[in-house]
Short mmCIF file of all heavy atoms in Angstrom, two decimals:
data_model
loop_
_atom_site.label_atom_id
_atom_site.label_comp_id
_atom_site.label_asym_id
_atom_site.label_seq_id
_atom_site.Cartn_x
_atom_site.Cartn_y
_atom_site.Cartn_z
N ASP Y 262 110.80 119.40 -90.80
CA ASP Y 262 111.30 118.92 -92.08
C ASP Y 262 112.82 118.97 -92.20
O ASP Y 262 113.38 118.35 -93.09
CB ASP Y 262 110.72 119.76 -93.22
CG ASP Y 262 109.23 119.55 -93.35
OD1 ASP Y 262 108.84 118.39 -93.52
OD2 ASP Y 262 108.46 120.52 -93.27
N SER J 359 102.44 121.48 -99.51
CA SER J 359 102.65 120.57 -98.38
C SER J 359 103.23 119.23 -98.84
O SER J 359 104.18 118.72 -98.27
CB SER J 359 101.35 120.30 -97.64
OG SER J 359 100.85 121.48 -97.07
N TYR J 360 102.59 118.68 -99.89
CA TYR J 360 102.94 117.30 -100.23
C TYR J 360 103.54 117.15 -101.62
O TYR J 360 103.86 116.05 -102.04
CB TYR J 360 101.69 116.41 -100.12
CG TYR J 360 100.96 116.60 -98.83
CD1 TYR J 360 99.68 117.14 -98.80
CD2 TYR J 360 101.56 116.25 -97.63
CE1 TYR J 360 99.01 117.34 -97.60
CE2 TYR J 360 100.90 116.45 -96.43
CZ TYR J 360 99.63 116.99 -96.42
OH TYR J 360 98.99 117.19 -95.23
N ALA J 376 101.35 109.60 -98.27
CA ALA J 376 102.69 109.93 -98.76
C ALA J 376 103.31 108.74 -99.47
O ALA J 376 103.10 107.60 -99.07
CB ALA J 376 103.57 110.34 -97.59
N LEU J 380 108.21 111.41 -101.00
CA LEU J 380 107.96 112.62 -100.22
C LEU J 380 109.02 112.77 -99.12
O LEU J 380 109.53 113.86 -98.88
CB LEU J 380 106.56 112.60 -99.60
CG LEU J 380 106.19 113.84 -98.78
CD1 LEU J 380 106.18 115.08 -99.64
CD2 LEU J 380 104.85 113.66 -98.09
N ALA J 381 109.36 111.64 -98.51
CA ALA J 381 110.34 111.70 -97.44
C ALA J 381 111.73 112.03 -97.99
O ALA J 381 112.48 112.79 -97.38
CB ALA J 381 110.37 110.38 -96.67
N GLY J 384 111.12 115.69 -100.30
CA GLY J 384 110.23 116.77 -99.85
C GLY J 384 110.76 117.63 -98.73
O GLY J 384 110.03 118.40 -98.14
N GLY J 385 112.05 117.51 -98.42
CA GLY J 385 112.62 118.21 -97.26
C GLY J 385 112.59 119.72 -97.38
O GLY J 385 112.74 120.42 -96.39
N TRP J 386 112.38 120.28 -98.58
CA TRP J 386 112.44 121.74 -98.75
C TRP J 386 111.08 122.31 -99.13
O TRP J 386 110.95 123.52 -99.28
CB TRP J 386 113.45 122.09 -99.83
CG TRP J 386 113.22 121.31 -101.10
CD1 TRP J 386 113.73 120.08 -101.40
CD2 TRP J 386 112.38 121.67 -102.20
NE1 TRP J 386 113.27 119.66 -102.62
CE2 TRP J 386 112.44 120.62 -103.14
CE3 TRP J 386 111.60 122.79 -102.48
CZ2 TRP J 386 111.73 120.64 -104.33
CZ3 TRP J 386 110.89 122.80 -103.67
CH2 TRP J 386 110.96 121.73 -104.58
N PHE J 387 110.04 121.49 -99.25
CA PHE J 387 108.71 121.99 -99.65
C PHE J 387 108.23 123.09 -98.72
O PHE J 387 107.56 124.03 -99.13
CB PHE J 387 107.67 120.87 -99.67
CG PHE J 387 107.85 119.86 -100.77
CD1 PHE J 387 107.03 118.74 -100.84
CD2 PHE J 387 108.82 120.02 -101.75
CE1 PHE J 387 107.19 117.81 -101.85
CE2 PHE J 387 108.99 119.10 -102.76
CZ PHE J 387 108.16 117.98 -102.80
N TRP J 388 108.59 122.97 -97.44
CA TRP J 388 108.09 123.93 -96.44
C TRP J 388 108.48 125.37 -96.77
O TRP J 388 107.85 126.31 -96.30
CB TRP J 388 108.57 123.55 -95.05
CG TRP J 388 110.05 123.63 -94.84
CD1 TRP J 388 110.96 122.65 -95.09
CD2 TRP J 388 110.79 124.75 -94.37
NE1 TRP J 388 112.22 123.09 -94.82
CE2 TRP J 388 112.15 124.37 -94.36
CE3 TRP J 388 110.45 126.03 -93.94
CZ2 TRP J 388 113.17 125.22 -93.95
CZ3 TRP J 388 111.47 126.88 -93.52
CH2 TRP J 388 112.81 126.48 -93.54
N GLN J 391 105.62 127.13 -97.93
CA GLN J 391 104.44 127.20 -97.06
C GLN J 391 104.40 128.55 -96.34
O GLN J 391 104.48 128.63 -95.12
CB GLN J 391 104.44 126.05 -96.06
CG GLN J 391 104.35 124.69 -96.72
CD GLN J 391 104.81 123.57 -95.79
OE1 GLN J 391 105.12 123.80 -94.63
NE2 GLN J 391 104.85 122.36 -96.31
N GLU J 399 97.32 117.38 -89.93
CA GLU J 399 97.27 116.49 -91.09
C GLU J 399 98.66 116.33 -91.70
O GLU J 399 99.11 115.23 -92.01
CB GLU J 399 96.30 117.08 -92.13
CG GLU J 399 96.02 116.16 -93.28
CD GLU J 399 95.39 116.92 -94.45
OE1 GLU J 399 96.15 117.43 -95.30
OE2 GLU J 399 94.15 116.98 -94.51
N TYR J 400 99.35 117.46 -91.82
CA TYR J 400 100.67 117.48 -92.45
C TYR J 400 101.64 116.55 -91.74
O TYR J 400 102.26 115.68 -92.35
CB TYR J 400 101.20 118.91 -92.43
CG TYR J 400 102.56 119.10 -93.04
CD1 TYR J 400 102.70 119.21 -94.41
CD2 TYR J 400 103.70 119.19 -92.24
CE1 TYR J 400 103.94 119.41 -94.98
CE2 TYR J 400 104.94 119.40 -92.80
CZ TYR J 400 105.07 119.50 -94.17
OH TYR J 400 106.30 119.71 -94.72
N LEU J 401 101.75 116.73 -90.42
CA LEU J 401 102.71 115.92 -89.67
C LEU J 401 102.28 114.46 -89.68
O LEU J 401 103.11 113.56 -89.80
CB LEU J 401 102.83 116.43 -88.23
CG LEU J 401 103.40 117.84 -88.07
CD1 LEU J 401 103.42 118.23 -86.61
CD2 LEU J 401 104.79 117.94 -88.66
N GLY J 402 100.96 114.24 -89.59
CA GLY J 402 100.46 112.88 -89.58
C GLY J 402 100.80 112.14 -90.86
O GLY J 402 101.15 110.96 -90.85
N ILE J 403 100.72 112.87 -91.99
CA ILE J 403 101.00 112.23 -93.28
C ILE J 403 102.49 112.10 -93.52
O ILE J 403 102.99 111.06 -93.93
CB ILE J 403 100.33 113.04 -94.41
CG1 ILE J 403 98.82 112.86 -94.33
CG2 ILE J 403 100.87 112.63 -95.77
CD1 ILE J 403 98.04 113.80 -95.22
N LYS J 404 103.20 113.14 -93.20
CA LYS J 404 104.62 113.15 -93.54
C LYS J 404 105.46 112.36 -92.54
O LYS J 404 106.49 111.80 -92.89
CB LYS J 404 105.12 114.59 -93.58
CG LYS J 404 106.06 114.77 -94.73
CD LYS J 404 106.42 116.18 -94.99
CE LYS J 404 107.68 116.17 -95.85
NZ LYS J 404 108.15 117.50 -96.14
N PHE J 405 105.02 112.34 -91.30
CA PHE J 405 105.80 111.66 -90.28
C PHE J 405 104.91 110.63 -89.57
O PHE J 405 104.76 110.65 -88.35
CB PHE J 405 106.37 112.66 -89.28
CG PHE J 405 107.18 113.74 -89.94
CD1 PHE J 405 106.65 115.00 -90.14
CD2 PHE J 405 108.46 113.47 -90.40
CE1 PHE J 405 107.39 115.98 -90.77
CE2 PHE J 405 109.20 114.45 -91.03
CZ PHE J 405 108.66 115.71 -91.22
N ALA J 406 104.32 109.75 -90.39
CA ALA J 406 103.37 108.79 -89.85
C ALA J 406 103.99 107.96 -88.73
O ALA J 406 103.34 107.67 -87.73
CB ALA J 406 102.86 107.90 -90.98
N ALA J 407 105.28 107.63 -88.88
CA ALA J 407 105.92 106.77 -87.90
C ALA J 407 106.10 107.47 -86.56
O ALA J 407 106.22 106.83 -85.52
CB ALA J 407 107.28 106.29 -88.42
N GLN J 408 106.10 108.80 -86.58
CA GLN J 408 106.33 109.55 -85.32
C GLN J 408 105.03 110.04 -84.71
O GLN J 408 105.06 110.81 -83.75
CB GLN J 408 107.24 110.74 -85.59
CG GLN J 408 108.70 110.41 -85.75
CD GLN J 408 109.07 110.08 -87.17
OE1 GLN J 408 108.34 110.38 -88.10
NE2 GLN J 408 110.20 109.43 -87.35
#
Side-chain angles (χ1 to χ4, degrees):
Chain Y
D262 293 304
Chain J
S359 296
Y360 311 114
L380 181 62
W386 51 272
F387 290 175
W388 65 272
Q391 297 161 4
E399 188 196 89
Y400 180 81
L401 296 178
I403 289 169
K404 220 171 162 182
F405 305 102
Q408 283 88 17

